[in-house]
Amino acid sequence: MEFQKIQDRLSALFDDGKYTEINSGIMEKDKPASVVTAYGYVNGNPVYAFAQDKSVSGGAVGMAHAEKISKLYLLASKTGNPIVGIYDSNGAVMDGTAESLMAYGKMISSSSAVSGVIPQIAVIAGTCAGSSSILACSSDFVIMAKDSEFFMTPNAENVSAESAMKAGIASAVCDDVKSAIEKARDIINIMPVNNLSPAPEFEPLEPAGTVSPDLKGIINGVTDSDTAIELYSEYGKSSYTAFARIEGKTVGIVATNKTSDRLESADCSKIARFVRLCDAFSVPVVTFADTDGFDTSDTVSNVKNMSLLASSYAEATTVKLAVVTGKAVGTVFSAIAGKDVSSDFTYAWESAYISPVLPETAVEFLWHDKLKGAENLSAKRKELAEEYKSTLASAEKASNIGCIDEVISASDTRAVIASALDMLSGKRVTKLPKKHNNLPF
């Protein structure tokens, strides 16, 4: 089968197929260690990579295997370069001792030490067994080939790429190993190489279309043509998260109108993780808000993830811009678009409205007397709701009371965002000394 050879996989990752192998002579007992570690260039960026070799002892992970990978992480931490791991192993070396557990612990510790410092990309090319799945799924990006899988123990259920995508574990699923590696190259190309480097800038491209209120119209009208890389497309289906470019600058895009549904627990978790990823590498976050708010059918689960979402936005010190493109109802506005807390600049389209409750509910509270005596109560309530949206809840009113920074037209959105990104490029924030927020996971 194509791309089963480790050399082919590494060649596909690195520019011109060229790479330099590290520690090629290390042995695992009486056989070569079942992993190849190397460095080279990806789109001109220095990158470290390892590829597990299932043709050697089934890709079994032992101490020598772990030492090679840990050395790679140490080098990456010194030089600030991304790491790509290509996973394909049947599990640990089984010699009856706890040595393999020590090996996995060493790798997990090495990965954790550079989390948020350098981008880590896991490409699951075949089987990812045992504690390797913990290591892989701890990466910033998990890209799975369609036929790949992972499991924790031999008697546990195998997790397919499709299941991993729906559970929010896989960032993306590709048709084959080659396209999964190409996706890794795309991500390296758009991400900063480490947490101290600026987001890459490219020659600006014209947008693919004109701005319209639907998700496709926003992406095509605001971002540079064909630069959006969507992540977690099958998880949290009401929301959209992607890396893209605006006037040549890398940004993280969050949109809440992928469907007309309210944001559910999965959406909150998905957006929170994405915002924290962008913040770790100082990638600006641009949020397009258009939603009736949070789903409240499962209060216990949802309130935890709502809190996680709000905390992630509030904690993030990267550049944050928000545009209300339709409706922002209830606490979702404060969580993802609120001025000064969730956003440096908050804009709203002329047609947008911002309301603490649904307009129909607001009418019942505020204008109940106007409903009295109505021949058609439903029609009158709808009429008053439209009046409420165009008056008390309007974008203009929100601007008047300082709830947003500016009312803009849809057609000006790209230019306004590009200008704000330029102005905020030198943003600096000093916070109280602490290790990290205690987020409600």
Side-chain angles (χ1 to χ4, degrees):
M1 291 177 67
E2 188 181 15
F3 277 80
Q4 292 301 303
K5 288 185 178 180
I6 299 308
Q7 292 79 7
D8 291 341
R9 293 175 177 181
L10 289 171
S11 293
L13 175 66
F14 291 112
D15 295 348
D16 302 322
K18 296 178 180 178
Y19 61 88
T20 300
E21 192 172 343
I22 307 170
N23 297 135
S24 60
I26 288 182
M27 303 292 286
E28 188 85 65
K29 299 190 178 357
D30 58 344
K31 294 182 178 180
S34 56
V35 64
V36 175
T37 54
Y39 63 83
Y41 291 88
V42 176
N43 303 311
N45 298 305
V47 171
Y48 294 98
F50 66 85
Q52 294 179 321
D53 190 352
K54 196 185 283 186
S55 69
V56 179
S57 305
V61 177
M63 190 55 75
H65 187 121
E67 290 286 355
K68 290 184 69 172
I69 291 175
S70 296
K71 171 66 179 286
L72 212 62
Y73 275 103
L74 178 61
L75 290 168
S77 69
K78 292 177 179 179
T79 58
N81 300 126
I83 281 189
V84 177
I86 302 176
Y87 291 81
D88 194 0
S89 165
N90 288 333
V93 171
M94 295 302 293
D95 61 1
T97 73
E99 187 176 87
S100 63
L101 301 179
M102 292 173 59
Y104 281 124
K106 188 175 185 67
M107 293 188 296
I108 291 169
S109 176
S110 298
S111 171
S112 178
V114 295
S115 179
V117 177
I118 58 170
Q120 298 181 55
I121 303 174
V123 176
I124 301 182
T127 302
C128 185
S131 297
S132 284
S133 59
I134 296 177
L135 181 65
C137 295
S138 298
S139 299
D140 299 305
F141 305 91
V142 179
I143 305 168
M144 298 183 70
K146 185 172 62 177
D147 295 331
S148 66
E149 62 182 7
F150 65 86
F151 59 86
M152 286 299 299
T153 58
N155 59 348
E157 180 182 358
N158 289 15
V159 179
S160 67
E162 181 182 2
S163 298
M165 192 69 171
K166 290 180 179 178
I169 297 170
S171 309
V173 171
C174 300
D175 287 338
D176 50 37
V177 176
K178 182 179 180 181
S179 55
I181 293 172
E182 288 173 350
K183 178 74 74 174
R185 285 178 56 89
D186 291 341
I187 290 173
I188 290 171
N189 198 38
I190 206 166
M191 285 289 290
V193 294
N194 58 57
N195 66 329
L196 298 180
S197 296
E201 294 189 20
F202 303 83
E203 284 295 320
L205 300 173
E206 290 298 314
T210 56
V211 180
S212 59
D214 62 289
L215 176 61
K216 184 178 179 180
I218 290 171
I219 301 304
N220 285 345
V222 174
T223 67
D224 293 9
S225 179
D226 295 324
T227 60
I229 303 173
E230 185 178 3
L231 304 173
Y232 306 105
S233 61
E234 296 301 311
Y235 179 67
K237 292 190 176 182
S238 300
S239 56
Y240 174 90
T241 52
F243 286 107
R245 302 203 297 262
I246 296 178
E247 292 287 1
K249 294 180 174 63
T250 294
V251 297
I253 301 286
V254 174
T256 62
N257 64 338
K258 189 171 181 180
T259 69
S260 59
D261 301 313
R262 294 187 178 205
L263 298 181
E264 297 183 348
S265 178
D267 294 293
C268 296
S269 176
K270 164 183 171 177
I271 297 172
R273 175 170 170 77
F274 182 73
V275 169
R276 286 172 62 81
L277 172 63
C278 290
D279 186 50
F281 296 100
S282 297
V283 174
V285 177
V286 181
T287 302
F288 296 99
D290 181 10
T291 176
D292 280 329
F294 294 116
D295 178 75
T296 56
S297 60
D298 182 0
T299 303
V300 173
S301 175
N302 288 347
V303 73
K304 181 182 74 172
N305 286 291
M306 290 176 208
S307 301
L308 172 62
L309 174 61
S311 296
S312 297
Y313 266 96
E315 185 186 33
T317 59
T318 190
V319 172
K320 296 175 288 187
L321 304 175
V323 184
V324 182
T325 60
K327 51 197 174 184
V329 178
T331 54
V332 71
F333 174 78
S334 303
I336 69 173
K339 196 177 75 169
D340 299 326
V341 178
S342 303
S343 185
D344 297 301
F345 287 128
T346 300
Y347 307 101
W349 285 1
E350 297 159 324
S351 56
Y353 69 89
I354 301 167
S355 172
V357 293
L358 290 170
E360 292 79 7
T361 305
V363 166
E364 291 290 349
F365 277 103
L366 300 173
W367 298 336
H368 186 71
D369 56 324
K370 295 183 180 182
L371 292 170
K372 292 179 180 178
E375 291 185 8
N376 187 328
L377 190 60
S378 178
K380 184 64 175 177
R381 186 180 291 108
K382 186 176 294 186
E383 175 191 326
L384 290 174
E386 291 302 315
E387 180 183 346
Y388 170 75
K389 287 190 284 187
S390 63
T391 54
L392 295 178
S394 69
E396 182 180 2
K397 182 64 176 178
S399 177
N400 293 159
I401 62 176
C403 188
I404 64 172
D405 292 293
E406 204 66 47
V407 179
I408 64 173
S409 65
S411 59
D412 287 339
T413 305
R414 176 178 163 91
V416 168
I417 290 174
S419 173
L421 289 172
D422 281 338
M423 196 64 199
L424 292 168
S425 60
K427 179 183 176 183
R428 299 290 183 271
V429 176
T430 301
K431 290 202 167 190
L432 293 173
K434 59 182 177 181
K435 284 189 174 182
H436 51 70
N437 279 12
N438 187 18
L439 295 176
F441 286 108

